[in-house]
């Protein structure tokens, strides 16, 4: 970050220096008896980054015309953030270069995770709303008019946002974008695997199946069987082939979620044939001897080299540091539905909300825009890339949280030509209260057809309450 801030400051200094030279003109010697008339200086013309005022007079994130910063007009220099008191944000200096040019000043107001909505409503009613709320919105906040549409202030047609336009489109609620992010999260649901186990058993890896297009639900089952080791056939495997804790993950790869947004309509999709097919795939799988028989603790078993494949969020890589240092860990997305028309991948998008009575909505827009600019600058910086490549695996893990190889694999998940996102609406429709039963009951052998007839009306009630919640 310091390198980018220094680079931006240097570029601004050069622009100011050029302006100074232009204004000075040509000087003459006062002792010269026959001074020559002043001559207009010859100034080398540089590129015009502004396009008639549409952009700031500033280079793009990669040093050229690409990924330029839009020009904003700010009603005030102060930008107020509501942040989680337990995780106070310190990176608001990513408003560079808006800080350097406009001297925007960040200010934080704190709220606990459990009362952030309540505190926000109180501030809203007092006409003292922050400009950026660092929390996921809820549906009723939109319905009651408490939140603004980010698209009214952020032009996502600019090339800064080209990599996440599909995610933005899939995240629209009632035609607007009420949860903002600079990057979607598609790594929340994946499958880690132990390369050493696959090599020892001589089994084709999930990455190899992914590369040749055969990484499907059916192939996962076959691979789990092939990597299970029960040498004494007592039903207690020394190495289990697979562990899974989230039944909905297969449903998402059908291209459908538990709720569908169509314009202003919110549709309970629990009875969908596609969802039922995905849940049944989970039910069939967890009943097999090759699957670790608990929905918890699988990360520990994987760490002990007693599990070939483990469904987990990518942040769980922190549990596998020693294995990563040995180059033994890789991951792939949840396998593809063999009946689907494309490879769907679930994603979360959001985390920042914009109050409809914010004093400085363009300050909020500047924050997310500049954060996106800095992310692109870092991702595409060849010097930083070279530094990472020169590091040992241990140094890469310390810098990135995992190895460069795994970081590159995570970036591949954002290729919309390969993977199409299915937005997960659970955050704003509070499905978490139902998940316990949905996780446990299939493991007892209860068919999804029975479970769903209880879950459907419960979820319908949750949706209706979420749309009309009072705080």
């Amino acid at each position: 970050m310091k390198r980018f801030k220094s680079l931006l400051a240097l570029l601004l200094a050069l622009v100011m220096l050029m302006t100074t030279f232009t204004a000075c003109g040509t000087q003459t010697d006062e002792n010269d008896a026959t001074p020559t008339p002043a001559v207009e200086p010859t100034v080398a013309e540089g590129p015009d980054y502004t396009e008639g005022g549409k952009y700031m007079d500033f280079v793009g994130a990669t040093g050229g015309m690409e990924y330029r910063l839009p020009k904003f007009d700010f009603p005030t220099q102060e930008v107020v953030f509501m942040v989680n008191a337990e995780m106070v944000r310190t990176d608001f200096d990513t408003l560079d270069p808006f800080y350097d040019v406009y001297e925007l000043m960040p200010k934080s107001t704190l709220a606990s995770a459990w009362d952030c909505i309540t505190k926000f409503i109180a501030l809203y009613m007092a006409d003292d709303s922050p400009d950026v709320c660092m929390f996921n919105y809820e549906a009723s906040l939109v319905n009651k008019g408490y939140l603004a549409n980010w698209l009214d202030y952020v032009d996502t047609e600019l090339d800064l946002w080209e990599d996440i336009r599909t995610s933005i489109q899939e995240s629209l609620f009632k035609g607007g974008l009420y949860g903002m992010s600079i990057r979607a999260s598609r790594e929340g649901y994946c499958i880690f695997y132990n390369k050493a186990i696959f090599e020892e058993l001589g089994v084709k890896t999930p990455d190899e199946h992914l590369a040749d297009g055969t990484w499907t639900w059916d192939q996962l089952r076959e691979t789990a069987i092939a990597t299970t080791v029960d040498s004494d056939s007592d039903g207690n495997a020394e190495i289990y082939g697979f562990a899974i804790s989230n039944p909905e993950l297969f449903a998402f790869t059908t291209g459908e979620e538990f709720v569908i947004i169509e314009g202003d309509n919110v549709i309970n999709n629990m009875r969908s044939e596609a969802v039922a097919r995905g849940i049944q795939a989970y039910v069939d799988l967890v009943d097999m001897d090759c699957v670790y028989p608990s929905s918890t603790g699988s990360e520990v078993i994987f760490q002990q080299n007693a599990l070939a494949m483990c469904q987990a969020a990518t942040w769980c890589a922190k549990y596998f540091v020693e294995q990563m240092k040995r180059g033994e860990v890789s991951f792939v997305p949840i396998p593809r539905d063999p009946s689907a028309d494309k490879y769907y991948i679930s994603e979360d998008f959001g985390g920042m909300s914009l109050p409809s009575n914010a004093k400085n909505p363009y300050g909020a827009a500047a924050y997310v825009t500049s954060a996106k600019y800095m992310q692109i600058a870092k991702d595409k910086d060849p010097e930083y890339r070279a530094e990472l490549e020169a590091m040992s695996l241990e140094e890469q893990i310390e810098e990135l949280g995992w190895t460069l190889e795994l970081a590159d694999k995570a970036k591949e998940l954002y290729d919309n030509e390969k993977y199409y996102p299915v937005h997960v609406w659970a955050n704003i429709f509070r499905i978490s209260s139902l998940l316990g039963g949905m996780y446990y009951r299939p493991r007892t052998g209860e068919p999804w057809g029975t479970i769903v007839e209880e879950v459907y009306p419960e979820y319908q009630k949750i949706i209706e309450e979420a749309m009309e919640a009072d705080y």
Side-chain angles (χ1 to χ4, degrees), residues 2 4 11 21 36 53-55 61 98 156 193 227 239 252 270 281 290 296 311 354 360 375 380 400 439-440:
K2 290 181 179 178
F4 299 116
L11 290 170
F21 285 162
T36 57
K54 180 179 179 181
Y55 296 94
F98 292 100
T156 56
Y193 71 91
T227 52
I239 299 176
F252 294 161
M270 281 291 191
C290 60
T296 61
Q311 175 266 308
L354 175 60
N360 193 1
Q375 173 232 312
K380 296 183 179 294
L400 301 171
Y439 286 12
Y440 172 74

Side-chain angles (χ1 to χ4, degrees), residues 29-81:
D29 186 347
E30 294 180 356
N31 297 322
D32 190 341
T34 56
T36 57
V39 178
E40 288 296 324
T42 301
V43 180
E45 292 187 7
D48 176 15
Y49 296 106
T50 68
E51 271 188 36
K54 180 179 179 181
Y55 296 94
M56 292 174 61
D57 192 10
F58 204 78
V59 296
T62 54
M65 303 297 283
E66 301 82 11
Y67 313 115
R68 282 171 291 166
L69 288 160
K71 191 176 186 307
F72 293 112
D73 292 319
F74 304 107
T76 175
Q77 289 178 298
E78 187 174 79
V79 185
V80 181
F81 299 84

